[in-house]
Amino acid sequence: MRPTTRRILAAATGLALLAAVPACADDEKQAAENVPGVTDTEIVIGTHQPLTGPAAPGYSKISAATKAYFEHINSKGGVNGRKIVYKVMDDGYNPANTENVVRKLVLDDKVFALLGGLGTPTHTNVLEFVKTQKVPDLFVSSGSRNWNQPDKYPTTFGWQPDYTVEGKILATWVKQQFPGAKVCHFGQNDDFGRDSLAGVEKVLGPVAAKQTYTTTNQQVGPAIGALKAAGCQVVISASIPGFTALAMGQAAGQGFRAQWVVSNVGADYTTLSNQLGDKKVILEGMVADNYLPMVGDTANPWIQEYTKIHQKYNAANPIDGNAIYGYSMAYTFVQALLAAGKDPTREKLVEAVQKGGFRGPGLTPFRYSDDVHAGYSGVRLNKVQNGAQAYFGPTYTTDDGDAAVTEFTEPPTTPPADAIPTT
């Protein structure tokens, strides 16, 4: 090849490369502009919630608190200049409805991400759809281990401690406090109840008796009667609030005296008191667990900050454990959104959660990593005494496998100014 020809080809190649640079930049800009649910001024996310139906008591207030926190964030300029729009759809705690509303959120409303979809049976029903759509599915409001399957569902993450972690910790306390007692289990007839029982039996071995309920049937009398007939001295209950109230009410009515040890998802004292009315005295002595600041601890700086937000944006609803849950989950989401950067994409948001490192109001660290999509790693026990629910004893952590239950001694974090994360 002649030198002149080589020079012409080299020049042509250089021009092609120079032309490619702005083309690549344009492609990247176009890709950023095409992120579903994201504009220069807002980020649209969505959720399914039981605003009606059997799980509505208490749980229907979670999304109101989450929305209030986002209003608080938006009043301060949003996240990287974008306001958060939170679309809340009622599924009535019915899996068939959940599928319909989630499809609408993703396909019609084109949300950037799902946040805090509530319920084990409901959210399990949309996992495959969410996977095919590659939508970030953050902080499912349930402790099912279904959310911790990163190989199968790479965009789905839990947030609260899973029910097996919780079951192990509750059973460890029962084993210490009631050696040789007849310990029984009452649980929801789905992965909620089954995961809880798995954790309990990892520590105690087979329970003396077990009974289940379904959310479509409020007649729990026969199940409670069977636990009484079995001579149960301690009942560990994996139940949503309405069925905790029904079960404990039936036990009292049948003269069945046992120590009730209840999953955090069904043990908020304010919610149960409202359901039981003048019969709320039966809650005295109930032991439960939690992993967030207790609403009655008015000296806690997180409660103080949340109370300010609540009074300004959510005063029509009670400030209870459900509200604290909603505020705290929203706080973690803002942390994740900040970690996803100024030009967030769905992929960046998932990567940010997997990277982890978030701390906030929770008593224990999160478990997030590339290989683990489970949320908080432990709980602390609380008890109802003299009409108040308060923590006692140490905080414990474990996993959903064979790891021992151990005390967690790191002090809790304090909130940043106005409870707005900066990183």
Side-chain angles (χ1 to χ4, degrees), residues 190-212:
D190 58 22
D191 286 336
F192 171 22
R194 288 187 287 271
D195 285 356
S196 168
L197 180 61
V200 169
E201 294 192 330
K202 277 180 179 290
V203 174
L204 298 178
V207 293
K210 53 191 175 186
Q211 291 290 319
T212 63

Side-chain angles (χ1 to χ4, degrees), residues 361-383:
L363 304 184
T364 69
F366 288 109
R367 297 166 62 192
Y368 299 133
S369 70
D370 290 347
D371 301 322
V372 179
H373 283 194
Y376 279 114
S377 54
V379 298
R380 187 181 179 192
L381 276 71
N382 58 69
K383 189 173 185 177

Side-chain angles (χ1 to χ4, degrees), residues 285-332:
M286 180 187 74
V287 170
D289 66 275
N290 205 336
Y291 47 94
L292 299 170
M294 297 293 287
V295 68
D297 184 5
T298 56
N300 184 287
W302 287 99
I303 297 299
Q304 292 172 352
E305 291 294 338
Y306 288 157
T307 299
K308 293 176 190 174
I309 297 168
H310 190 90
Q311 290 172 344
K312 187 170 184 179
Y313 298 104
N314 196 23
N317 292 309
I319 183 163
D320 58 12
N322 299 294
I324 302 306
Y325 183 106
Y327 293 132
S328 299
M329 181 181 61
Y331 181 93
T332 310

Side-chain angles (χ1 to χ4, degrees), residues 235-257:
V235 178
I236 298 176
S237 184
S239 46
I240 61 176
F243 283 84
T244 302
L246 285 170
M248 293 186 68
Q250 275 289 332
Q254 294 184 28
F256 172 34
R257 297 180 180 276

Side-chain angles (χ1 to χ4, degrees), residues 90-275:
D90 180 20
D91 66 4
Y93 206 65
N94 182 320
N97 293 344
T98 307
E99 184 174 4
N100 292 334
V101 301
V102 168
R103 283 182 174 275
K104 182 183 185 305
L105 287 167
V106 174
L107 299 178
D108 297 343
D109 297 332
K110 300 190 184 304
V111 296
F112 174 57
L114 297 170
L115 174 66
L118 191 145
T120 300
T122 48
H123 202 77
T124 298
N125 203 43
V126 297
L127 284 176
E128 289 295 334
F129 171 73
V130 169
K131 174 184 177 179
T132 60
Q133 297 296 315
K134 299 181 180 179
V135 182
D137 183 21
L138 303 192
F139 313 152
V140 182
S141 295
S142 154
S144 170
R145 290 183 291 177
N146 287 341
W147 330 135
N148 184 23
Q149 301 183 77
D151 291 337
K152 191 174 182 181
Y153 301 116
T155 66
T156 296
F157 296 81
W159 185 76
Q160 65 198 62
D162 74 47
Y163 298 132
T164 302
V165 164
E166 179 186 50
K168 286 172 65 177
I169 293 172
L170 293 179
T172 297
W173 179 81
V174 168
K175 187 175 183 179
Q176 293 169 349
Q177 299 297 316
F178 298 91
K182 271 194 173 183
V183 181
C184 302
H185 191 269
F186 176 70
Q188 191 160 298
N189 189 22
D190 58 22
D191 286 336
F192 171 22
R194 288 187 287 271
D195 285 356
S196 168
L197 180 61
V200 169
E201 294 192 330
K202 277 180 179 290
V203 174
L204 298 178
V207 293
K210 53 191 175 186
Q211 291 290 319
T212 63
Y213 70 88
T214 60
T215 57
T216 56
N217 182 1
Q218 295 188 350
Q219 304 305 314
V220 299
I224 300 304
L227 295 176
K228 178 184 178 183
C232 302
Q233 296 167 293
V234 179
V235 178
I236 298 176
S237 184
S239 46
I240 61 176
F243 283 84
T244 302
L246 285 170
M248 293 186 68
Q250 275 289 332
Q254 294 184 28
F256 172 34
R257 297 180 180 276
Q259 173 64 59
W260 284 81
V261 181
V262 183
S263 165
N264 68 84
V265 303
D268 178 65
Y269 180 73
T270 303
T271 302
L272 295 175
S273 295
N274 289 339
Q275 291 185 283

Side-chain angles (χ1 to χ4, degrees), residues 367-416:
R367 297 166 62 192
Y368 299 133
S369 70
D370 290 347
D371 301 322
V372 179
H373 283 194
Y376 279 114
S377 54
V379 298
R380 187 181 179 192
L381 276 71
N382 58 69
K383 189 173 185 177
V384 175
Q385 290 182 301
N386 301 318
Q389 194 168 30
Y391 279 127
F392 68 89
T395 300
Y396 296 99
T397 59
T398 188
D399 65 11
D400 55 1
D402 297 323
V405 172
T406 57
E407 291 187 19
F408 181 75
T409 57
E410 289 185 23
T413 62
T414 55

